[in-house]
Amino acid sequence: MKTIGVYSIKGGVGKTSSTVNLAYLAAAAGKRTLVWDLDPQGAASFYFRVKPKVKGGGRGLLRGRRRPDDAIKGTDFELLDLLPADFSYRNMDILLEAAKKRPTGQLKRLLKPLSTEYDLVLFDCPPSISLMSENIFRAADALLVPLIPSTLSARTLHQLLEFLRSEDGFGALKVLPFFSMVDTDRAMHSETIDRLSTEHPEILSARIPLAQDVERMGLHRMPLPAYAPANPASGAYRALWDEVANALRA
Amino acid sequence: MNLIAMDYLLPAYADSEQDMDAALMTIRAELRCEPEPAVAFRRRFLDSFEWSLYRADIVLEEITSNGGRELLWQDLTDDGTVLARQTLDTDPGLIADMAPGPVRERLAPLLGVRRLLPMVVLSGSRRTLRVLNDDDKTVARILLEQAHVESADDAPQVALPMRLRLAAVRGYAHETERAAHRLKTSLSLEPARVPLYLEALAAAGRRPGSYSSKLDYRLDPHQPAEAAARTILLGLLDTLQANIDGTRQNLDPEFLHDLRVATRRTRSALSQIKGVLPQAIVDDFKARFAWLQQATGPVRDLDVYLLDFPRLKAQLPPALRDDLDPLRDWLAAHYEAEQEALAEVLDGERFKTLLRDWRAFLEAPDRNGAKDAQSPIKAVANKRIRRMFKRVLEEGRAITDASPPEELHELRKSGKKLRYLMEFFQSLYPPEDIKGLIKQSKVLLDNLGGFQDLAVQAEHLQETAAAMQREDAAPLHTLLAMGALISHILDNQQRARGEFARIFAGFDSAQNAGVFERLFADEKPAVAAPVEAGAEAGA
Ligand SMILES: Nc1ncnc2c1ncn2[C@@H]1O[C@H](COP(=O)(O)OP(=O)(O)O)[C@@H](O)[C@H]1O
Ligand SMILES: [Mg+2]
């Protein structure tokens, strides 16, 4: 089983849209896939038409009173399941803090029993840098980081890389940044992409364009490639998935 | 994943297109659901000739629909839970030709070198309905399938009863139960008692698990020996014939192997079940089966070589390994001609006459046999096994570290005869005891076989090297690598030889002797042993 955290310190950069679309493409390619919606706002759960509710909440999971297994819901798509969000996740840091040993290893522990059941797990992460994010970094094989091509996004990428360097144990974690919501009509975007790509050769080459059809996912309540497979943005997500799948194999 | 699926039959509906539509209408009136476009499918259920997957409760199915092709690995006992799937772009056959993937991974250890064959093929159409909740979320799936068994040529197609499968979506068990309840009442469903695969096999007239190369005769201890001997030999003939077609087409190497084992066992039964069949018959068929054994030998030798090649290669130091490749090419190049010659033998008059004559003899009503023809089979079996056990002990005890290889070879032949006798007659003895003895003899035979096969292999390699050189097919490096291999093989052979004394001592134990005494003693102690020993001395 491979695990990917779709992560950014910032909100509104395309994490949830990417998680949902990549998960769909992975399952369509034959991988048994699980999306774990960790954001208390439950946007990923919403896209899959699943109620953002886990019996017993985050506390039940962490205390072992509920198994993640029992909360999993099948989506409308073959091989693709979802572990829904729960509003109680907003207090996750407090709950994690209370874990007696290894408050940063809890997510990894919860994931273990699922490892034979799925080939791929994607975390849809809440925007923050917190105890929860550290749990994600410890549990994931790779971090997929959407970047809106602006000066600020460069800063947040540096912050993240800096944090990972300063802590022990993240050496094996692959960081895979990619450009999200790219508007090629804006000179600023193109310039930033050029500059950042030279500075950071690890940035993936697939770019997700800014597109109304992506926004409409909220109306369709399903992954973009499921209702608009021929849309250029769907093509961009496919290119992104190919690159990510390659990086995971390496 | 791990979806629960329930299969039902629709007895109230036959199997026409209209019936499918009528069922769909009823369902839609009953449940909030969304139909998906109709799909035509073809399902091929695959297994090896000896039903290796079926025996492991696995169903392997190749399903073609919507232009895609997929292999599904399912649990036969568990309502067809899909445990693994893999897309395909070539016909599934041998493991070696299959792309890596989750199905191949599971299949490899069960299939070995055997080829996947279609056991039954269905084609038909499917309609899927998604059951929706208030969010338009799919909470269950209803699959309506009608299928018929594809049959060869112009035989009439057998239609299967229409099936409804209700597949749960994970986490929505409650909704599925509700849907099941409503469907059951509105469509008068009956739970399908038999998995689709088994139903299809039955409709096609195939009995799963019907072939096995294992010896498994139920003999009656009081049965006249001749009748029992015919039962055994007929079983062997059936096995032999079952493998002819696969051997001729060279579907996989096991067909020829099983054919040869059946031949060898036939010869052994002919010579070992003494005094039962008319001597003239025994002599005639022994000679004719010996011919068959010899005629099928060359391809089997090449099979063994080629199957073993990766292992042989790995025995060499890495630097020499590639030097061995011309050997494999040479073997492969000769394979086709040998296989053709074999196919000619199998199509030839001599072979056909042999089978015909042999079956005619075995199926003919009892005639005057030899002196023991009417004795109870148990008495004959006891005597033969006792005798052969004694011979194995005598020959084995005479072997010292200085004995020449021929003596071990002789012992191996006797050991094999003993083992075959015990296998032919195993149903006459307490299963635990006889299985234990068979296993014991196998340990001894493995050691002797290892010793002798290695000798043959070394000799064969030497001959091959000479032949390759004659044909100018052997670069110097290859000859050197083959030399290194021969020396390695001879080392291993020495090791097997070194272990013989210990392994034979294990067989020649007081405990074993006790079991033999107990199992194979005659019920009437009046039959004096010394007389038999005298009569048998020259055999
Ligand atoms: N490529 C895109 N083009 C246009 N709108 C997008 C694109 N990606 C995401 N959006 C929209 O931007 C908003 C935030 O995206 P989302 O994927 O939820 O980001 P995050 O999870 O990082 O908060 C959503 O309304 C979404 O529909
Ligand atoms: Mg989000």
Side-chain angles (χ1 to χ4, degrees):
Chain A
M1 187 183 72
K2 295 284 186 187
T3 309
I4 302 177
V6 185
Y7 175 80
S8 167
I9 300 174
K10 285 158 59 85
V13 296
K15 293 186 295 295
T16 300
S17 313
S18 310
T19 307
V20 167
N21 292 331
L22 293 180
Y24 171 84
L25 293 169
K31 295 218 181 300
R32 299 168 300 166
T33 306
L34 177 73
V35 170
W36 192 339
D37 188 353
L38 288 169
D39 188 338
Q41 297 188 40
S45 305
F46 175 82
Y47 284 128
F48 286 118
R49 303 169 192 246
V50 175
K51 300 200 169 54
K53 175 98 192 98
V54 173
K55 278 211 188 105
R59 190 191 302 269
L61 286 179
L62 286 171
R63 297 275 165 87
R65 264 184 262 121
R66 303 270 174 183
R67 296 183 318 140
D69 220 31
D70 299 329
I72 291 175
K73 301 279 185 191
T75 69
D76 284 11
F77 308 100
E78 247 186 308
L79 302 187
L80 180 51
D81 288 351
L82 174 85
L83 188 48
D86 191 84
F87 197 52
S88 65
Y89 290 179
R90 71 194 187 285
N91 298 321
M92 202 54 124
D93 270 25
I94 300 169
L95 294 171
L96 287 167
E97 201 77 72
K100 285 195 192 68
K101 31 181 191 182
R102 310 223 297 130
T104 56
Q106 295 300 310
L107 198 56
K108 188 169 180 145
R109 176 177 64 80
L110 289 176
L111 210 54
K112 218 180 224 142
L114 300 175
S115 64
T116 52
E117 214 176 322
Y118 294 101
D119 303 314
L120 180 69
V121 175
L122 289 140
F123 298 120
D124 187 24
C125 304
S128 67
I129 189 143
S130 59
L131 201 45
M132 171 73 134
S133 347
E134 261 190 83
N135 265 274
I136 291 162
F137 302 161
R138 299 230 178 257
D141 298 302
L143 280 190
L144 195 55
V145 186
L147 301 172
I148 300 179
S150 69
T151 27
L152 268 182
S153 69
R155 244 176 66 84
T156 52
L157 179 59
H158 289 146
Q159 273 173 349
L160 173 63
L161 294 172
E162 201 45 53
F163 175 81
L164 294 177
R165 248 196 301 276
S166 69
E167 298 278 314
D168 288 338
F170 296 133
L173 183 64
K174 287 192 182 112
V175 180
L176 308 172
F178 69 96
F179 291 111
S180 168
M181 299 166 117
V182 174
D183 184 355
T184 36
D185 288 343
R186 288 168 65 178
M188 238 284 280
H189 274 199
S190 308
E191 283 160 22
T192 313
I193 287 175
D194 287 346
R195 183 168 49 76
L196 270 183
S197 303
T198 16
E199 270 172 42
H200 295 278
E202 74 270 26
I203 295 181
L204 303 178
S205 48
R207 287 164 202 169
I208 309 301
L210 187 72
Q212 283 209 333
D213 293 289
V214 179
E215 270 189 284
R216 290 212 185 88
M217 280 169 63
L219 297 175
H220 290 275
R221 295 185 71 179
M222 59 174 94
L224 177 72
Y227 66 88
N231 190 285
S234 289
Y237 280 115
R238 261 191 290 275
L240 180 60
W241 164 243
D242 287 344
E243 261 184 292
V244 171
N246 261 330
L248 285 179
R249 265 194 294 273
Chain B
M1 270 112 278
N2 294 332
L3 297 185
I4 308 147
M6 291 168 268
D7 273 13
Y8 301 95
L9 303 181
L10 290 108
Y13 297 83
D15 49 17
S16 68
E17 202 63 44
Q18 290 94 310
D19 282 334
M20 176 96 97
D21 290 339
L24 279 172
M25 292 249 294
T26 312
I27 297 169
R28 293 186 70 182
E30 203 59 41
L31 292 167
R32 198 173 126 77
C33 52
E34 181 70 23
E36 285 182 3
V39 181
F41 62 78
R42 185 155 188 265
R43 303 165 74 159
R44 298 202 306 152
F45 292 88
L46 307 166
D47 206 334
S48 75
F49 186 65
E50 58 191 352
W51 301 89
S52 331
L53 304 182
Y54 172 79
R55 288 175 207 282
D57 282 332
I58 292 297
V59 181
L60 179 65
E61 171 186 349
E62 178 210 59
I63 178 156
T64 313
S65 67
N66 277 341
R69 191 141 69 125
E70 213 182 7
L71 271 182
L72 302 183
W73 182 265
Q74 289 149 300
D75 187 334
L76 178 64
T77 57
D78 189 18
D79 262 337
T81 304
V82 176
L83 301 173
R85 54 176 78 217
Q86 183 174 338
T87 52
L88 274 179
D89 35 29
T90 52
D91 272 340
L94 300 174
I95 278 289
D97 303 330
M98 208 170 147
V103 171
R104 183 191 197 270
E105 209 171 279
R106 288 169 169 80
L107 180 59
L110 283 177
L111 190 62
V113 300
R114 296 235 67 155
R115 178 183 292 274
L116 287 176
L117 305 169
M119 297 321 220
V120 62
V121 183
L122 296 181
S123 46
S125 68
R126 172 192 305 146
R127 303 288 288 269
T128 303
L129 289 159
R130 294 187 291 122
V131 181
L132 305 175
N133 68 7
D134 293 340
D135 285 323
D136 282 339
K137 165 83 179 70
T138 308
V139 291
R141 284 188 180 81
I142 298 169
L143 290 79
L144 273 177
E145 267 190 20
Q146 49 187 193
H148 59 262
V149 177
E150 284 185 14
S151 42
D153 313 326
D154 25 52
Q157 292 181 337
V158 188
L160 299 178
M162 183 157 35
R163 273 188 182 233
L164 182 149
R165 162 167 285 214
L166 179 62
V169 172
R170 184 169 185 171
Y172 297 92
H174 194 61
E175 287 83 344
T176 310
E177 262 165 47
R178 211 164 39 212
H181 182 73
R182 301 184 70 162
L183 289 175
K184 266 188 260 182
T185 43
S186 61
L187 288 168
S188 48
L189 296 177
E190 275 177 13
R193 311 225 174 270
V194 181
L196 177 66
Y197 178 37
L198 299 186
E199 188 179 58
L201 284 172
R206 296 205 69 168
R207 205 154 50 82
S210 50
Y211 175 82
S212 166
S213 62
K214 288 214 177 67
L215 295 171
D216 184 22
Y217 303 108
R218 306 256 161 277
L219 302 175
D220 169 0
H222 306 296
Q223 191 176 11
E226 180 174 44
R230 283 172 196 266
T231 304
I232 290 168
L233 288 164
L234 262 177
L236 292 171
L237 178 57
D238 287 342
T239 302
L240 192 159
Q241 288 191 304
N243 284 289
I244 294 174
D245 207 41
T247 302
R248 188 192 294 110
Q249 296 182 55
N250 193 20
L251 293 178
D252 67 45
E254 288 301 292
F255 285 98
L256 174 59
H257 180 56
D258 282 5
L259 187 150
R260 281 174 56 79
V261 171
T263 307
R264 193 177 311 124
R265 282 172 172 162
T266 299
R267 293 173 63 206
S268 187
L270 275 171
S271 56
Q272 291 310 305
I273 308 179
K274 280 188 201 296
V276 172
L277 299 178
Q279 195 56 44
I281 293 280
V282 169
D283 291 341
D284 177 27
F285 283 102
K286 258 171 73 174
R288 290 163 79 179
F289 279 110
W291 160 77
L292 179 60
Q293 190 79 2
Q294 175 261 322
T296 53
V299 175
R300 178 61 194 168
D301 285 348
L302 287 173
D303 274 337
V304 171
Y305 246 133
L306 288 168
L307 289 171
D308 210 27
F309 195 81
R311 212 183 47 83
L312 285 179
K313 204 168 158 174
Q315 289 177 355
L316 287 177
L320 298 185
R321 285 181 195 162
D322 288 345
D323 295 343
L324 216 52
D325 287 346
L327 169 61
R328 186 197 43 214
D329 297 344
W330 194 84
L331 294 169
H334 285 68
Y335 197 96
E336 210 173 311
E338 293 292 359
Q339 171 67 31
E340 254 169 51
L342 174 60
E344 259 168 50
V345 167
L346 298 181
D347 286 330
E349 213 36 57
R350 188 170 177 185
F351 180 58
K352 284 184 183 154
T353 319
L354 166 59
L355 296 180
R356 211 169 29 238
D357 294 352
W358 186 223
R359 188 169 287 281
F361 166 73
L362 292 176
E363 286 176 350
D366 285 12
R367 285 177 283 162
N368 288 339
K371 66 177 169 52
D372 282 338
Q374 298 308 317
S375 311
I377 186 60
K378 178 83 182 271
V380 173
N382 281 345
K383 186 164 94 177
R384 288 307 313 157
I385 295 174
R386 274 200 320 265
R387 191 66 45 73
M388 201 46 72
F389 179 57
K390 195 165 156 239
R391 191 198 295 180
V392 168
L393 291 187
E394 281 168 5
E395 288 178 1
R397 284 171 187 167
I399 290 173
T400 65
D401 284 348
S403 302
E406 294 75 35
E407 286 185 22
L408 286 109
H409 184 43
E410 281 309 309
L411 174 60
R412 185 191 187 198
K413 288 206 277 192
S414 304
K416 261 198 174 164
K417 288 172 186 163
L418 174 63
R419 178 170 157 212
Y420 284 156
L421 283 168
M422 291 194 293
E423 286 178 340
F424 292 149
F425 297 126
Q426 53 184 304
S427 66
L428 301 173
Y429 303 97
E432 288 310 308
D433 289 331
I434 193 78
K435 287 226 167 65
L437 289 181
I438 291 172
K439 205 174 275 169
Q440 281 269 7
S441 68
K442 197 168 174 305
V443 173
L444 177 61
L445 283 170
D446 279 350
N447 173 262
L448 292 167
F451 175 73
Q452 203 211 336
D453 290 347
L454 290 169
V456 171
Q457 207 172 43
E459 200 180 289
H460 210 289
L461 265 175
Q462 250 154 357
E463 286 167 9
T464 309
M468 285 174 77
Q469 208 184 17
R470 273 199 305 278
E471 293 179 27
D472 238 353
L476 179 61
H477 284 301
T478 301
L479 291 174
L480 290 174
M482 287 171 77
L485 197 56
I486 290 170
S487 113
H488 187 86
I489 289 170
L490 292 176
D491 280 351
N492 282 344
Q493 195 209 3
Q494 255 342 93
R495 203 163 307 133
R497 179 72 174 88
E499 282 170 357
F500 169 76
R502 184 179 57 78
I503 287 173
F504 182 75
F507 182 79
D508 187 12
S509 66
Q511 198 209 340
N512 250 1
V515 181
F516 268 92
E517 191 63 37
R518 183 159 54 78
L519 247 49
F520 306 111
D522 266 333
E523 265 116 69
K524 283 179 290 172
V527 181
V531 179
E532 293 170 15
E536 195 52 41

